[in-house]
Amino acid sequence: MRHKIKPADLVQMFESGAVFTAFDTETTGLYPSSDRVIEIGAVKFDKNGLRDTFNILINPERSMPENSLQVHGIDDEMLKNAPVFADAVHGFLQFIEGTRLAAHNAGFDVDFINTELARAGLKPIGEPFVPAADTVYLARKLFPQLEKHNLQFLARHFSIPAGQAHRALDDALVCREVFLRCIAEYRTKHPAENTLF
């Protein structure tokens, strides 16, 4: 099991001024070993607010499976002139440099990115070296009473504008908002610790 960053540690990082990048990927399927990343969206932020956004479509060099198309709506026509991963990823790596990563079900996105990076002969990001903050884990810890913790359910529960679900940038924006709700909930539940920040 991957190491998870404890909520208390995340709150301390956040309040100390750390810059975070919430990111999301869209893919041709569910398996990093055989599927490919087709979109990366990312949102850079800190305790003072939103700093920047990043979004890029990626040519997977294969046709989009119908079942995946039904999920995110990204078709072959949208991707045919997009760069391949090895060319597209450099902008993302530059964007996240010096930031702490966050994602919803972080293991999925980190595994996909790292598998693609390995194919391109590049170094991995995030886990196992610097664990990404997982907003699924945070939401389960801080809002255990909720019946579900998937991104769309949390967006509805917290009245977060979801944009176009299952598109990388919109999901990254929602992930950031869920992260902020979790930080706020932790501080509400642990008021005595707030004096430390």
Side-chain angles (χ1 to χ4, degrees), residues 86-131:
D87 295 330
V89 74
H90 296 289
F92 175 66
L93 295 177
Q94 184 176 13
F95 185 84
I96 67 173
E97 187 175 356
T99 71
R100 300 295 306 230
L101 298 176
H104 204 72
N105 191 19
F108 177 89
D109 298 287
V110 170
D111 282 351
F112 257 99
I113 293 288
N114 281 344
T115 300
E116 291 276 24
L117 286 168
R119 288 190 187 109
L122 299 170
K123 294 179 181 179
I125 61 164
E127 301 173 82
F129 307 106
V130 181

Side-chain angles (χ1 to χ4, degrees), residues 39-188:
E39 187 178 35
I40 304 172
V43 183
K44 190 183 298 185
F45 66 98
D46 59 18
K47 65 180 180 180
N48 297 314
L50 181 65
R51 294 174 62 140
D52 203 358
T53 62
F54 175 89
N55 190 224
I56 193 166
L57 289 170
I58 299 167
N59 188 332
E61 302 178 279
R62 66 179 65 179
S63 296
M64 183 64 61
E66 182 63 29
N67 58 338
S68 298
L69 173 61
Q70 295 302 316
V71 173
H72 46 58
I74 302 172
D75 60 25
D76 295 338
E77 184 67 21
M78 296 168 65
L79 299 174
K80 69 179 184 179
N81 294 320
V84 298
F85 184 88
D87 295 330
V89 74
H90 296 289
F92 175 66
L93 295 177
Q94 184 176 13
F95 185 84
I96 67 173
E97 187 175 356
T99 71
R100 300 295 306 230
L101 298 176
H104 204 72
N105 191 19
F108 177 89
D109 298 287
V110 170
D111 282 351
F112 257 99
I113 293 288
N114 281 344
T115 300
E116 291 276 24
L117 286 168
R119 288 190 187 109
L122 299 170
K123 294 179 181 179
I125 61 164
E127 301 173 82
F129 307 106
V130 181
D134 188 343
T135 48
V136 172
Y137 169 76
L138 291 175
R140 286 175 178 161
K141 292 286 283 186
L142 293 164
F143 301 96
Q145 74 280 10
L146 297 182
E147 59 186 281
K148 297 178 183 178
H149 297 89
N150 65 64
L151 201 59
Q152 283 68 47
F153 179 88
L154 293 172
R156 290 192 298 273
H157 177 78
F158 293 125
S159 299
I160 298 169
Q164 188 174 348
H166 300 295
R167 287 302 302 270
L169 181 56
D170 285 341
D171 283 357
L173 287 163
V174 175
C175 177
R176 169 184 176 257
E177 291 297 328
V178 170
F179 179 95
L180 295 175
R181 297 298 199 287
C182 290
I183 293 289
E185 182 69 7
Y186 183 88
R187 296 189 69 182
T188 298

Side-chain angles (χ1 to χ4, degrees), residues 6-26:
K6 295 178 181 178
D9 293 335
L10 279 176
V11 172
Q12 187 169 16
M13 290 177 207
F14 185 71
E15 296 297 340
S16 296
V19 179
F20 285 81
T21 298
F23 78 103
D24 182 68
T25 61
E26 299 303 330

